[in-house]
Amino acid sequence: MNNELIYLLLIFGLLVIPRALQRFQLPAPITCLLLGLGAVLLWGERMSDSVIVLLSTLGISSLFLFAGLEVELTALRKELGRLLVYLTTQIACLVGVAWLCWKYAELGWQAAALVSLALLTPSTGFIVDTLERLGLNADERFWVTSKAIAGELLALTALFVVLQAGDPTQLAISSGAMVLMMVGLPLVFIALGRWVMPHAPGSEFSLLVMVGMVAAYITYSLGVYYLVGAFIAGLVARLLRFRMPLLASDENIHALRLFATFFVPFYFFHAGTEISRDALTWEAAGLGVVLTLVIVPLRIGLVWLQRRVMFGEGHKSSFKVSVALAPTLVFTLVLANILHKEFDLSATLFGALILYTTLNTLLPSLVFRTPFDVDLFDAPLPTHPEDRMGKASEAGEAPAAAPGPTPLA
């Protein structure tokens, strides 16, 4: 069988089979992950294909580029006090879990910190994608989205510091490079808007994706993975929305959403192919179940307690928000892979992390009995997010998250 036919069958399988299985409450990313695992068990090292790696990189980069575009700093600032309470609790949990891993799992402090991030960081894109199907009202969707984004910003910052902190010189160099990139990206976008876009109508999307991929490669070269640079590029484009409205227009965001939809399944498939056979043990499975039984109730309980005790929210509403924030899919997969490759994480703990994220990703669909999907084509993008925020404020409620699903993360 020639390579072209193999790639065609792979594309068909990743885009069709996960959607067909959604009727059984099985999230599409988990199906892609299992397909990758099955492929590597059947064909072994032959699945280490450069084309799949490239498509996977495009998937994770476009996903976080889109995530950066989705950040609305104005909305976050309006509820800064409550979000700071959530972030303070999150930081305390991250430090506590990292200390336990360092003390009792005999991990170095960097590896322990990364394990803590892998266990506790909500997967923003995946979570936001579920909101319309979970029966949450506008206020609940707003809080789930805001807390997930705030947690993601915290995790990306911690990821950058932890990965570089082993070498103070490298940390200083990388920090300088990040500052230069954050200063340079607006200038690059403005230059493209002045000298390229006026002479190439309709090029905004391709230029946005190009800059996002370059930023992703820069941060990968600095040793902090693709997702950091892609997210920063999306965030910068969002901040330039009023100066360059075509760059982060609703049409561009919708186009990027569809672009990511095609490539994201390859990321999950590739992540499945990187699960080694020695991680598939009963010991790893047992540890994964223990982590799920301990960590997931702790995370849900803390968010529930905050909303009930500190903010006076209702029991049912607090529970919905808490459960919706449970999935950790992308961050766990990314960090487990980094830990396995760069910090020699044991196969048992690696396998336990994979099972942990699989189980907590399944949780909302089981609790709310609602299937997840990666189909973004049936969701019209709202015309003006700012208008939605204004209408919500006039109605006396928190701004609602943008309706319609987003790419999974």
Side-chain angles (χ1 to χ4, degrees):
M1 187 180 297
N2 59 50
N3 288 339
E4 290 79 5
L5 182 57
I6 291 174
Y7 293 138
L8 181 61
L9 291 174
L10 178 62
I11 293 171
F12 177 84
L14 292 180
L15 296 183
V16 175
I17 294 176
R19 288 174 170 83
L21 295 179
Q22 286 170 182
R23 64 188 299 175
F24 303 110
Q25 313 296 328
L26 185 63
I30 301 301
T31 303
C32 295
L33 186 73
L34 294 176
L35 288 174
L37 177 59
V40 78
L41 291 177
L42 288 174
W43 295 294
E45 294 183 357
R46 283 182 291 176
M47 296 309 301
S48 300
D49 185 273
S50 59
V51 174
I52 295 176
V53 173
L54 175 61
L55 295 175
S56 168
T57 302
L58 287 172
I60 191 67
S61 300
S62 60
L63 180 62
F64 275 82
L65 177 62
F66 179 86
L69 285 167
E70 282 285 276
V71 176
E72 293 188 22
L73 294 179
T74 302
L76 296 179
R77 281 197 296 267
K78 287 182 178 179
E79 299 294 343
L80 185 60
R82 291 189 178 190
L83 290 175
L84 285 177
V85 172
Y86 169 73
L87 290 177
T88 301
T89 305
Q90 185 78 351
I91 291 171
C93 291
L94 287 170
V95 172
V97 172
W99 182 83
L100 290 173
C101 292
W102 173 74
K103 182 75 174 179
Y104 297 104
E106 299 182 351
L107 297 174
W109 75 267
Q110 285 175 289
L114 293 178
V115 169
S116 180
L117 286 171
L119 291 172
L120 300 178
T121 303
S123 187
T124 303
F126 181 86
I127 289 169
V128 172
D129 180 61
T130 70
L131 297 183
E132 288 299 313
R133 302 175 183 84
L134 297 184
L136 276 64
N137 62 36
D139 183 66
E140 291 163 352
R141 291 198 302 270
F142 170 76
W143 283 113
V144 171
T145 303
S146 298
K147 289 182 177 182
I149 289 175
E152 184 172 70
L153 291 169
L154 172 66
L156 289 171
T157 303
L159 176 63
F160 173 78
V161 174
V162 169
L163 287 176
Q164 303 293 317
D167 184 349
T169 302
Q170 181 62 35
L171 177 60
I173 294 172
S174 298
S175 299
M178 287 290 290
V179 171
L180 289 175
M181 188 180 76
M182 295 177 70
V183 172
L185 280 175
L187 299 178
V188 170
F189 279 128
I190 291 171
L192 292 173
R194 178 173 296 180
W195 294 315
V196 178
M197 294 179 190
H199 308 287
S203 64
E204 296 85 7
F205 170 74
S206 57
L207 294 175
L208 174 64
V209 172
M210 180 217 42
V211 173
M213 297 304 161
V214 170
Y217 180 76
I218 290 173
T219 55
Y220 178 77
S221 300
L222 294 174
V224 289
Y225 210 69
Y226 297 103
L227 52 85
V228 178
F231 183 87
I232 291 173
L235 181 59
V236 170
R238 180 72 183 194
L239 294 175
L240 291 172
R241 183 176 180 130
F242 293 103
R243 181 164 183 170
M244 301 177 64
L246 292 179
L247 184 64
S249 65
D250 295 322
E251 292 77 10
N252 250 13
I253 294 176
H254 186 54
L256 184 60
R257 176 184 288 180
L258 300 181
F259 181 83
T261 296
F262 181 84
F263 290 104
V264 164
F266 291 96
Y267 170 75
F268 293 112
F269 178 83
H270 179 61
T273 64
E274 295 194 323
I275 301 174
S276 58
R277 281 183 168 84
D278 53 357
L280 305 176
T281 63
W282 289 112
E283 185 180 2
L287 181 57
V289 171
V290 170
L291 288 175
T292 304
L293 294 176
V294 173
I295 300 295
V296 173
L298 173 65
R299 294 176 59 219
I300 292 176
L302 285 174
V303 176
W304 182 88
L305 193 62
Q306 286 176 31
R307 294 181 62 80
R308 285 284 291 159
V309 176
M310 302 186 68
F311 307 142
E313 300 289 344
H315 167 76
K316 186 176 181 180
S317 176
S318 300
F319 179 72
K320 285 183 177 180
V321 172
S322 303
V323 173
L325 284 167
T328 64
L329 187 61
V330 168
F331 263 93
T332 303
L333 292 176
V334 169
L335 293 177
N337 187 43
I338 292 174
L339 284 161
H340 190 56
K341 289 183 176 179
E342 299 184 18
F343 294 90
D344 296 323
L345 188 73
S346 68
T348 298
L349 186 50
F350 177 73
L353 288 175
I354 300 300
L355 181 59
Y356 165 79
T357 195
T358 300
L359 294 176
N360 67 43
T361 299
L362 286 167
L363 182 63
S365 64
L366 297 177
V367 171
F368 297 106
R369 302 299 298 170
T370 306
F372 298 151
D373 66 62
V374 293
D375 189 3
L376 311 178
F377 294 90
D378 59 351
L381 194 69
T383 305
H384 294 294
E386 292 81 3
D387 291 345
R388 297 195 314 275
M389 293 171 60
K391 291 177 181 178
S393 299
E394 291 172 7
E397 58 185 31
T406 60
L408 306 182

